[in-house]
Amino acid sequence: MNLFFSGHQEKYAVEQTLLTLFPQERPVYPDTPPEGDNALLLSFSQGKHWATARAELHREGKIYTRQCRVAMADLSQEDPVVTTRLTRRTLQRAFYLAAVDYLGTEPPWGMLSGVRPVKLPTRAMENGASPQQAERMLWKQYHVSPLRRQLAMDCAQASLTVKQALKPQEISLYVGIPFCPTRCAYCSFISAAGSANRQIPDYLTALFSEIDAAGAALRQAGKTVRTVYIGGGTPTTLEAPQLAALLARLHEAFSLTPGTEFTVEAGRPDTITQEKLLALRDGGANRISVNPQTMSDAVLSAIGRSHRAEDIRTAYALARESNVGAINMDLIAGLPADTPEGFAKTVEEIIAMDPENITVHTLALKRGARLRQEDTPLPGGEEVAAMLDFAWAALRQAGYLPYYLYRQKFMSGSFENVGWCKPGWASQYNICMMEELHSVLSLGAGGVTKLIGEGTVHRIANPKYPQEYLQTIRQIQQGKAALTW
């Protein structure tokens, strides 16, 4: 779409709205006002009492015009952050309303384009708003649909509950194991597969040295670990003795207490064995993920997984027999070869298995995913909506509650990923990470440490790929030793 601005240069905010409303289009910035179709002219002017944003959207031979305004008294505050936020919101709203006039429908999250929509009602309630007032804000200011408002409010309440229980010295710990047996067709994560897994022994040696340096820095700073999350990749690509050694090293370096929430992504059932599960249990893990994504063999083939639904059933039974603790199971709505009817069968079977957590993802295809590169046919937005609607109703009826959510770019239908849990089984790590409630120390390739300050987030990234990580481990150790909290 041709975008022409007057009186402002808020490219990022407008592009986020463009991505939400017209996901197939990309911004083009002509030097002069564009003529003809597929164009947006967006101006911002300031008067004595009001500042006005005017959107003029040209589509299919028609012009859709909307204006929104904000009081100059509000724009004249001393805090430039507030002024910028109000300016952007007014411009986005004018564009949004003009686009909705053209489209004839509103997206489920309305004007919201960010990753963390739950932060809005959470902050409102922390500042004294009632739940009813916070939900009304989502409706009136951002046009969020009723179902998504309910979802956001449920997750906001879960976030506030966890935040109130956190102690000032506590942080979360993430450990990345960037290896998988094979690479799934939808995956864009940093992970090595196949012959690259020969790097695992050298990788663990380097990772252990980073663990030791980070543990010493944490003790010196007087920090303690509230939650641990070992992700990937697929951590259970490691052999049982390697898993046991990793968990033992973490306990030694960080003095983990028995009550620490400790999650390991077992992930793919073709990596799960009884020996590995016992190593995790004996090493202090008390929460794992067994991630089917789908219980359809045809869909599993379409996404490049070598296992079948029966393997998932077997892996889940092994996990229960091992008594490793809570189990999360991930599903993805919108996978190739799937249908609303097929997804409904998957949801029903997973609910019948009775895991403590079920996470329902919406397919998001980033540039690195093979499905996007190959332009594989996928279910449309209406089909994905039907999948999510069924999952929501079935999960609530079965007694599961939503406790955290996030959104991503290039997501089918502009929907969301939602974690559901039985009462009392919310993952504290997921909430702390997604809502940025406290600092997260990240170790391993691709890990991003997030230091949370008073209204600030400082990110420190490790190299993405295992080989780069191995080559720079000395500098990484030094960086961890020099961390200031």
Side-chain angles (χ1 to χ4, degrees), residues 274 277-278 281 314-324 327:
Q274 186 177 44
L277 290 168
L278 293 177
R281 183 199 67 188
T314 300
Y316 183 84
L318 278 176
R320 282 299 184 211
E321 290 170 10
S322 73
N323 197 29
V324 74
I327 298 177

Side-chain angles (χ1 to χ4, degrees), residues 399-438:
Y400 288 87
L401 303 172
Y403 73 95
Y404 89 108
L405 71 87
Y406 65 101
R407 302 176 67 209
Q408 294 171 277
K409 293 181 180 179
F410 310 115
M411 180 172 274
S412 298
S414 190
F415 294 117
E416 64 288 310
N417 303 320
V418 184
W420 297 77
C421 67
K422 292 182 177 181
W425 289 99
S427 166
Q428 296 178 41
Y429 174 87
N430 285 333
I431 294 175
C432 289
M433 166 62 80
M434 194 48 56
E435 298 309 314
E436 299 178 330
L437 299 187
H438 65 190

Side-chain angles (χ1 to χ4, degrees), residues 118-127 155-157 159-160 435:
V118 175
K119 279 192 170 185
L120 286 170
T122 300
R123 286 173 177 168
M125 288 188 286
E126 286 181 318
N127 291 328
C155 293
Q157 295 288 1
S159 177
L160 288 171
E435 298 309 314

Side-chain angles (χ1 to χ4, degrees), residues 15 40 48 131 142 209 215 242 299 314 375 381 397 419 444 462 480:
E15 287 176 4
L40 171 69
K48 184 176 181 180
Y142 297 100
S209 68
Q242 293 171 328
V299 179
T314 300
D375 200 23
Q397 185 175 3
N462 278 358
K480 289 298 186 295

Side-chain angles (χ1 to χ4, degrees), residues 153-211:
M153 293 306 303
D154 286 341
C155 293
Q157 295 288 1
S159 177
L160 288 171
T161 298
V162 168
K163 187 173 183 177
Q164 290 164 2
L166 294 176
K167 298 176 182 176
Q169 79 276 12
E170 292 177 330
I171 67 156
S172 286
L173 175 65
Y174 175 85
V175 182
I177 305 296
F179 299 96
C180 285
T182 59
R183 190 174 182 85
C184 298
Y186 58 80
C187 181
S188 62
F189 285 105
I190 303 302
S191 62
S195 62
N197 289 352
R198 290 196 297 264
Q199 294 178 313
I200 289 176
D202 290 339
Y203 179 82
L204 288 178
T205 298
L207 178 61
F208 288 178
S209 68
E210 186 186 11
I211 288 171

Side-chain angles (χ1 to χ4, degrees), residues 361-374:
H361 295 267
T362 304
L363 182 65
L365 291 183
K366 297 184 180 180
R367 292 180 181 87
R370 178 159 56 84
L371 289 180
R372 185 174 179 186
Q373 294 169 350
E374 296 176 353

Side-chain angles (χ1 to χ4, degrees), residues 19-314:
L19 181 63
T20 298
L21 297 165
F22 302 95
Q24 304 304 319
E25 301 196 23
R26 296 295 175 263
V28 178
Y29 293 96
D31 295 329
T32 58
E35 298 180 358
D37 264 358
N38 201 32
L40 171 69
L41 284 70
L42 187 61
S43 65
F44 191 75
S45 58
Q46 298 186 22
K48 184 176 181 180
H49 298 292
W50 297 95
T52 303
R54 184 177 190 275
E56 189 178 291
L57 179 64
H58 296 244
R59 300 285 291 191
E60 299 181 2
K62 295 183 179 180
I63 300 175
Y64 302 85
T65 302
R66 283 293 195 123
Q67 291 189 167
C68 295
R69 63 182 190 174
V70 58
M72 287 298 298
D74 292 334
L75 286 183
S76 301
Q77 298 183 38
E78 293 183 2
D79 189 347
V81 174
V82 174
T83 298
T84 300
R85 186 182 298 133
L86 288 173
T87 300
R88 289 174 177 170
R89 187 187 303 166
T90 306
L91 287 162
Q92 287 179 303
R93 184 176 176 82
F95 177 19
Y96 176 85
L97 293 175
V100 166
D101 288 344
Y102 160 71
L103 294 169
T105 186
E106 296 192 61
W109 285 99
M111 284 177 55
L112 293 181
S113 57
V115 172
R116 299 175 174 86
V118 175
K119 279 192 170 185
L120 286 170
T122 300
R123 286 173 177 168
M125 288 188 286
E126 286 181 318
N127 291 328
S130 67
Q132 294 77 16
Q133 290 170 324
E135 182 178 356
R136 183 178 175 83
M137 171 199 66
L138 292 174
W139 171 36
K140 288 295 187 180
Q141 293 187 26
Y142 297 100
H143 298 259
V144 178
S145 69
L147 283 176
R148 266 64 191 185
R149 293 202 302 270
Q150 181 185 5
L151 187 63
M153 293 306 303
D154 286 341
C155 293
Q157 295 288 1
S159 177
L160 288 171
T161 298
V162 168
K163 187 173 183 177
Q164 290 164 2
L166 294 176
K167 298 176 182 176
Q169 79 276 12
E170 292 177 330
I171 67 156
S172 286
L173 175 65
Y174 175 85
V175 182
I177 305 296
F179 299 96
C180 285
T182 59
R183 190 174 182 85
C184 298
Y186 58 80
C187 181
S188 62
F189 285 105
I190 303 302
S191 62
S195 62
N197 289 352
R198 290 196 297 264
Q199 294 178 313
I200 289 176
D202 290 339
Y203 179 82
L204 288 178
T205 298
L207 178 61
F208 288 178
S209 68
E210 186 186 11
I211 288 171
D212 292 343
L218 216 62
R219 288 193 298 274
Q220 186 173 358
K223 298 291 184 179
T224 58
V225 174
R226 176 66 176 254
T227 72
V228 180
Y229 195 101
I230 302 180
T234 306
T236 42
T237 303
L238 303 184
E239 297 301 327
Q242 293 171 328
L243 288 168
L246 172 59
L247 270 61
R249 198 61 164 256
L250 290 171
H251 276 280
E252 181 181 347
F254 296 101
S255 302
L256 303 178
T257 63
T260 302
E261 180 187 279
F262 198 138
T263 302
V264 180
E265 284 191 4
R268 291 171 48 152
D270 48 348
T271 68
I272 297 174
T273 67
Q274 186 177 44
E275 186 183 10
K276 292 180 184 181
L277 290 168
L278 293 177
L280 296 178
R281 183 199 67 188
D282 295 344
N286 50 33
R287 183 176 182 272
I288 65 168
S289 287
V290 180
N291 297 337
Q293 316 304 5
T294 175
M295 295 299 286
S296 163
D297 287 345
V299 179
L300 287 169
S301 294
I303 62 176
R305 287 202 165 189
S306 58
H307 63 82
R308 293 296 171 258
E310 187 58 33
D311 299 318
I312 297 165
R313 300 181 188 106
T314 300

